[in-house]
Amino acid sequence: MKNICLLVVCLFFIFSFNENIESQEKKEPNITKVDDSKYPYGFYMINVSASASVNEAVQQVQELQKKGHPAGYLWLPDYKSLSDKELYAVFIGPFMGRDTCIKYLNYYQKEEPKAYAVKAEHSKRRVTIHNKFDIRVNGKKQFMILTYATPEDSKEYAKGGGEDWAWFVNDVATYFDKYHADNVFFGRVYYSWLNKKDIAKLVEELELEDFGYVLIKGKEKSFTPHDMPDGVISEACDFFGFEMNKNWQEEMNN
Protein backbone atom coordinates (compact mmCIF):
# COMPACT_ATOMS: atom_id res chain seq x y z
CA MET A 1 0.00 0.00 0.00
CA LYS A 2 2.82 2.35 0.93
CA ASN A 3 4.51 1.60 -2.42
CA ILE A 4 1.30 2.44 -4.30
CA CYS A 5 0.95 5.75 -2.43
CA LEU A 6 4.58 6.58 -3.10
CA LEU A 7 4.09 5.82 -6.81
CA VAL A 8 1.02 8.08 -6.97
CA VAL A 9 2.91 10.91 -5.27
CA CYS A 10 5.84 10.54 -7.69
CA LEU A 11 3.53 10.52 -10.70
CA PHE A 12 1.81 13.65 -9.37
CA PHE A 13 5.12 15.51 -9.04
CA ILE A 14 6.27 14.40 -12.49
CA PHE A 15 2.99 15.57 -14.03
CA SER A 16 3.16 18.88 -12.16
CA PHE A 17 6.80 19.39 -13.20
CA ASN A 18 6.03 18.76 -16.89
CA GLU A 19 2.98 21.01 -16.72
CA ASN A 20 5.13 23.78 -15.18
CA ILE A 21 7.72 23.45 -17.96
CA GLU A 22 4.99 23.69 -20.63
CA SER A 23 3.50 26.76 -18.97
CA GLN A 24 6.93 28.42 -18.95
CA GLU A 25 7.31 27.70 -22.67
CA LYS A 26 3.96 29.34 -23.36
CA LYS A 27 4.60 32.26 -21.02
CA GLU A 28 5.03 35.62 -22.75
CA PRO A 29 8.75 36.56 -22.76
CA ASN A 30 9.88 39.68 -20.93
CA ILE A 31 11.20 41.25 -24.17
CA THR A 32 8.44 42.40 -26.50
CA LYS A 33 8.43 41.29 -30.13
CA VAL A 34 8.96 44.14 -32.57
CA ASP A 35 5.92 44.83 -34.77
CA ASP A 36 3.82 47.61 -36.33
CA SER A 37 2.71 48.97 -32.97
CA LYS A 38 6.00 50.89 -32.79
CA TYR A 39 7.35 50.75 -36.34
CA PRO A 40 4.38 50.88 -38.77
CA TYR A 41 6.51 52.03 -41.71
CA GLY A 42 9.31 49.52 -41.41
CA PHE A 43 12.93 49.83 -40.31
CA TYR A 44 16.46 48.65 -41.01
CA MET A 45 18.06 45.84 -39.02
CA ILE A 46 21.26 43.80 -38.95
CA ASN A 47 20.41 40.14 -39.32
CA VAL A 48 21.84 37.84 -36.62
CA SER A 49 19.90 34.55 -36.52
CA ALA A 50 16.51 32.84 -36.74
CA SER A 51 14.82 30.41 -34.37
CA ALA A 52 11.58 28.46 -34.11
CA SER A 53 11.56 29.04 -30.34
CA VAL A 54 10.49 32.43 -29.00
CA ASN A 55 12.34 31.78 -25.74
CA GLU A 56 15.54 30.98 -27.62
CA ALA A 57 15.14 34.18 -29.64
CA VAL A 58 14.65 36.21 -26.45
CA GLN A 59 17.74 34.62 -24.90
CA GLN A 60 19.83 35.59 -27.94
CA VAL A 61 18.48 39.14 -27.76
CA GLN A 62 19.50 39.35 -24.10
CA GLU A 63 22.99 38.08 -24.93
CA LEU A 64 23.38 40.76 -27.62
CA GLN A 65 22.17 43.44 -25.23
CA LYS A 66 24.69 42.30 -22.61
CA LYS A 67 27.39 42.96 -25.23
CA GLY A 68 26.06 46.51 -25.59
CA HIS A 69 24.21 46.07 -28.89
CA PRO A 70 20.68 47.38 -29.43
CA ALA A 71 18.73 44.23 -30.26
CA GLY A 72 15.27 42.80 -30.78
CA TYR A 73 13.34 40.02 -32.47
CA LEU A 74 10.38 39.73 -34.82
CA TRP A 75 8.14 37.16 -36.49
CA LEU A 76 9.37 36.78 -40.08
CA PRO A 77 5.95 36.40 -41.80
CA ASP A 78 4.93 39.82 -40.40
CA TYR A 79 7.14 41.49 -43.05
CA LYS A 80 6.86 40.62 -46.75
CA SER A 81 10.37 41.90 -47.48
CA LEU A 82 11.91 39.23 -45.21
CA SER A 83 10.52 35.70 -45.44
CA ASP A 84 7.37 33.65 -45.02
CA LYS A 85 9.21 31.07 -42.91
CA GLU A 86 7.57 30.67 -39.52
CA LEU A 87 10.61 31.68 -37.50
CA TYR A 88 11.63 34.39 -35.08
CA ALA A 89 14.43 36.59 -36.45
CA VAL A 90 16.96 38.01 -33.99
CA PHE A 91 18.53 41.28 -35.08
CA ILE A 92 20.60 44.28 -34.06
CA GLY A 93 18.51 47.42 -34.26
CA PRO A 94 15.97 48.56 -35.16
CA PHE A 95 17.34 51.55 -37.09
CA MET A 96 14.90 54.09 -38.52
CA GLY A 97 17.59 55.67 -40.69
CA ARG A 98 19.53 53.87 -43.41
CA ASP A 99 22.70 55.88 -42.74
CA THR A 100 22.70 54.98 -39.04
CA CYS A 101 22.23 51.32 -39.91
CA ILE A 102 25.15 51.32 -42.35
CA LYS A 103 27.41 52.98 -39.78
CA TYR A 104 26.52 50.38 -37.15
CA LEU A 105 26.91 47.55 -39.68
CA ASN A 106 30.45 48.74 -40.41
CA TYR A 107 31.17 48.65 -36.66
CA TYR A 108 29.53 45.23 -36.11
CA GLN A 109 31.34 43.63 -39.06
CA LYS A 110 34.57 43.90 -37.06
CA GLU A 111 32.96 41.30 -34.79
CA GLU A 112 30.99 39.42 -37.48
CA PRO A 113 32.55 40.05 -40.94
CA LYS A 114 29.74 38.30 -42.83
CA ALA A 115 26.94 40.31 -41.18
CA TYR A 116 24.53 42.20 -43.41
CA ALA A 117 21.53 44.48 -42.95
CA VAL A 118 18.05 44.30 -44.40
CA LYS A 119 14.98 46.53 -44.44
CA ALA A 120 11.89 45.07 -42.75
CA GLU A 121 8.76 46.37 -44.47
CA HIS A 122 5.45 45.19 -45.89
CA SER A 123 6.53 45.56 -49.51
CA LYS A 124 8.07 42.57 -51.30
CA ARG A 125 10.89 44.86 -52.42
CA ARG A 126 13.91 43.49 -50.57
CA VAL A 127 16.68 45.93 -49.70
CA THR A 128 19.93 44.48 -48.32
CA ILE A 129 23.13 46.25 -47.29
CA HIS A 130 26.40 44.31 -47.36
CA ASN A 131 28.89 47.15 -46.92
CA LYS A 132 29.28 50.90 -47.48
CA PHE A 133 29.21 50.62 -51.25
CA ASP A 134 27.23 47.40 -51.69
CA ILE A 135 23.50 48.04 -51.41
CA ARG A 136 21.15 45.69 -53.26
CA VAL A 137 17.48 45.74 -54.25
CA ASN A 138 16.00 42.29 -54.90
CA GLY A 139 19.54 40.93 -55.09
CA LYS A 140 20.75 43.49 -57.65
CA LYS A 141 23.72 45.65 -56.67
CA GLN A 142 22.86 49.33 -56.95
CA PHE A 143 24.63 52.08 -58.86
CA MET A 144 25.14 55.15 -56.68
CA ILE A 145 24.68 58.89 -57.04
CA LEU A 146 26.07 60.83 -54.08
CA THR A 147 25.66 64.60 -53.94
CA TYR A 148 28.86 66.46 -53.08
CA ALA A 149 29.00 69.83 -51.32
CA THR A 150 31.26 70.58 -48.37
CA PRO A 151 29.55 71.94 -45.23
CA GLU A 152 31.51 75.20 -45.61
CA ASP A 153 30.49 75.68 -49.26
CA SER A 154 26.88 74.86 -48.41
CA LYS A 155 26.78 77.56 -45.69
CA GLU A 156 28.30 80.18 -47.98
CA TYR A 157 25.89 79.23 -50.72
CA ALA A 158 22.91 79.58 -48.37
CA LYS A 159 24.13 82.98 -47.17
CA GLY A 160 24.23 84.16 -50.75
CA GLY A 161 20.59 83.20 -51.19
CA GLY A 162 21.33 80.28 -53.51
CA GLU A 163 18.44 77.90 -54.07
CA ASP A 164 18.97 76.22 -57.40
CA TRP A 165 21.33 73.52 -55.96
CA ALA A 166 18.61 72.09 -53.72
CA TRP A 167 15.96 72.34 -56.45
CA PHE A 168 18.18 70.70 -59.06
CA VAL A 169 19.24 67.90 -56.70
CA ASN A 170 15.58 67.19 -56.02
CA ASP A 171 14.86 66.98 -59.75
CA VAL A 172 17.76 64.57 -60.35
CA ALA A 173 16.78 62.41 -57.38
CA THR A 174 13.14 62.37 -58.47
CA TYR A 175 14.09 61.29 -61.98
CA PHE A 176 16.11 58.28 -60.85
CA ASP A 177 13.55 57.36 -58.22
CA LYS A 178 10.83 57.32 -60.87
CA TYR A 179 12.66 55.53 -63.67
CA HIS A 180 15.43 53.54 -61.97
CA ALA A 181 14.33 52.97 -58.37
CA ASP A 182 15.60 49.37 -58.41
CA ASN A 183 18.91 50.27 -60.05
CA VAL A 184 20.18 53.52 -58.54
CA PHE A 185 20.77 54.44 -54.91
CA PHE A 186 20.71 58.20 -54.23
CA GLY A 187 22.61 59.58 -51.22
CA ARG A 188 25.14 62.16 -50.00
CA VAL A 189 28.87 62.31 -49.44
CA TYR A 190 28.66 64.51 -46.32
CA TYR A 191 26.25 63.94 -43.43
CA SER A 192 25.85 60.29 -44.41
CA TRP A 193 27.25 56.88 -43.46
CA LEU A 194 30.68 57.74 -44.90
CA ASN A 195 33.40 58.60 -42.39
CA LYS A 196 36.16 61.20 -42.78
CA LYS A 197 38.59 58.68 -44.31
CA ASP A 198 36.03 57.57 -46.89
CA ILE A 199 35.32 61.19 -47.87
CA ALA A 200 39.01 62.11 -48.04
CA LYS A 201 39.64 59.13 -50.32
CA LEU A 202 36.85 60.18 -52.70
CA VAL A 203 38.05 63.80 -52.72
CA GLU A 204 41.60 62.74 -53.59
CA GLU A 205 40.60 60.10 -56.13
CA LEU A 206 38.14 62.29 -58.05
CA GLU A 207 39.68 65.70 -57.25
CA LEU A 208 36.35 66.88 -55.90
CA GLU A 209 35.57 70.57 -55.55
CA ASP A 210 32.57 72.91 -55.52
CA PHE A 211 29.15 71.25 -55.96
CA GLY A 212 28.32 68.14 -57.92
CA TYR A 213 27.52 64.44 -58.04
CA VAL A 214 29.73 61.42 -57.41
CA LEU A 215 28.72 58.53 -59.67
CA ILE A 216 29.65 54.98 -58.64
CA LYS A 217 29.27 51.86 -60.78
CA GLY A 218 31.03 48.96 -59.09
CA LYS A 219 34.70 49.93 -58.93
CA GLU A 220 34.25 52.74 -61.47
CA LYS A 221 33.74 56.28 -60.20
CA SER A 222 33.11 59.62 -61.87
CA PHE A 223 32.22 63.19 -60.92
CA THR A 224 29.62 65.39 -62.59
CA PRO A 225 29.68 69.10 -61.63
CA HIS A 226 26.54 70.99 -60.56
CA ASP A 227 24.50 71.88 -63.63
CA MET A 228 20.94 71.99 -64.94
CA PRO A 229 19.10 68.71 -64.16
CA ASP A 230 18.92 67.67 -67.82
CA GLY A 231 22.71 67.79 -68.16
CA VAL A 232 23.37 65.89 -64.93
CA ILE A 233 20.75 63.24 -65.70
CA SER A 234 22.14 62.80 -69.21
CA GLU A 235 25.72 62.31 -67.96
CA ALA A 236 24.61 59.94 -65.20
CA CYS A 237 22.56 57.86 -67.64
CA ASP A 238 25.53 57.63 -70.03
CA PHE A 239 27.78 56.54 -67.16
CA PHE A 240 25.36 53.85 -65.95
CA GLY A 241 24.38 52.70 -69.43
CA PHE A 242 20.75 53.88 -69.32
CA GLU A 243 18.74 55.50 -72.08
CA MET A 244 17.55 58.87 -70.83
CA ASN A 245 13.83 59.64 -70.98
CA LYS A 246 13.72 62.97 -72.81
CA ASN A 247 10.11 63.58 -71.78
CA TRP A 248 10.68 63.19 -68.03
CA GLN A 249 9.70 66.74 -67.09
CA GLU A 250 6.47 66.59 -69.05
CA GLU A 251 5.58 63.18 -67.57
CA MET A 252 6.28 64.33 -64.00
CA ASN A 253 4.14 67.45 -64.42
CA ASN A 254 1.15 65.44 -65.63
Side-chain angles (χ1 to χ4, degrees):
M1 188 67 180
K2 289 183 178 180
N3 289 338
I4 294 175
C5 290
L6 182 61
L7 178 61
V8 171
V9 171
C10 288
L11 289 173
F12 174 77
F13 276 110
I14 290 172
F15 176 78
S16 298
F17 179 76
N18 288 336
E19 189 176 37
N20 187 46
I21 291 296
E22 289 178 6
S23 66
Q24 287 180 5
E25 284 291 327
K26 294 177 182 178
K27 187 178 180 182
E28 190 71 21
N30 60 359
I31 295 179
T32 306
K33 175 172 68 71
V34 172
D35 56 30
D36 283 355
S37 62
K38 288 187 177 180
Y39 305 98
Y41 304 109
F43 56 88
Y44 290 90
M45 66 185 208
I46 298 171
N47 186 55
V48 175
S49 66
S51 173
S53 166
V54 64
N55 288 322
E56 184 178 330
V58 169
Q59 184 179 0
Q60 291 180 23
V61 170
Q62 291 171 332
E63 290 173 357
L64 287 167
Q65 290 178 343
K66 286 179 182 177
K67 293 181 179 179
H69 298 300
Y73 76 99
L74 54 75
W75 181 241
L76 282 174
D78 284 347
Y79 296 92
K80 291 181 181 179
S81 66
L82 301 180
S83 171
D84 58 0
K85 292 182 179 179
E86 296 188 348
L87 296 171
Y88 294 97
V90 177
F91 61 86
I92 290 177
F95 302 99
M96 298 307 296
R98 178 185 58 206
D99 292 359
T100 305
C101 180
I102 298 176
K103 284 181 178 179
Y104 205 98
L105 176 63
N106 185 53
Y107 163 74
Y108 183 64
Q109 283 178 334
K110 295 175 183 176
E111 181 180 333
E112 295 291 341
K114 294 183 179 180
Y116 67 94
V118 62
K119 188 174 184 182
E121 57 182 338
H122 297 300
S123 164
K124 288 186 177 180
R125 184 173 181 262
R126 183 173 171 83
V127 179
T128 55
I129 304 169
H130 298 267
N131 62 53
K132 294 177 182 179
F133 297 104
D134 187 351
I135 298 173
R136 305 177 191 182
V137 174
N138 297 329
K140 187 172 184 178
K141 191 171 181 179
Q142 300 291 282
F143 299 141
M144 292 189 177
I145 299 178
L146 308 179
T147 58
Y148 176 80
T150 67
E152 295 77 18
D153 286 346
S154 297
K155 288 179 182 178
E156 287 299 317
Y157 190 79
K159 285 180 182 178
E163 295 180 352
D164 61 338
W165 167 243
W167 286 109
F168 291 176
V169 165
N170 181 68
D171 285 346
V172 174
T174 301
Y175 176 91
F176 284 98
D177 183 61
K178 180 175 176 64
Y179 299 108
H180 301 287
D182 291 342
N183 293 287
V184 177
F185 168 87
F186 206 92
R188 297 176 297 179
V189 172
Y190 286 92
Y191 303 114
S192 70
W193 70 95
L194 299 177
N195 60 36
K196 290 181 179 180
K197 288 184 178 179
D198 297 325
I199 295 172
K201 186 175 180 181
L202 283 175
V203 170
E204 182 180 1
E205 183 180 353
L206 299 174
E207 298 181 351
L208 303 180
E209 58 181 4
D210 297 326
F211 294 74
Y213 305 78
V214 173
L215 311 178
I216 301 176
K217 180 175 67 175
K219 294 183 178 180
E220 295 180 56
K221 298 182 183 69
S222 182
F223 180 68
T224 298
H226 171 40
D227 198 354
M228 296 291 290
D230 257 352
V232 173
I233 292 170
S234 177
E235 286 196 37
C237 284
D238 286 344
F239 182 75
F240 296 135
F242 299 144
E243 183 176 347
M244 180 180 171
N245 184 340
K246 303 292 185 181
N247 301 317
W248 67 274
Q249 289 177 313
E250 183 180 338
E251 291 179 7
M252 287 182 185
N253 290 330
N254 291 334

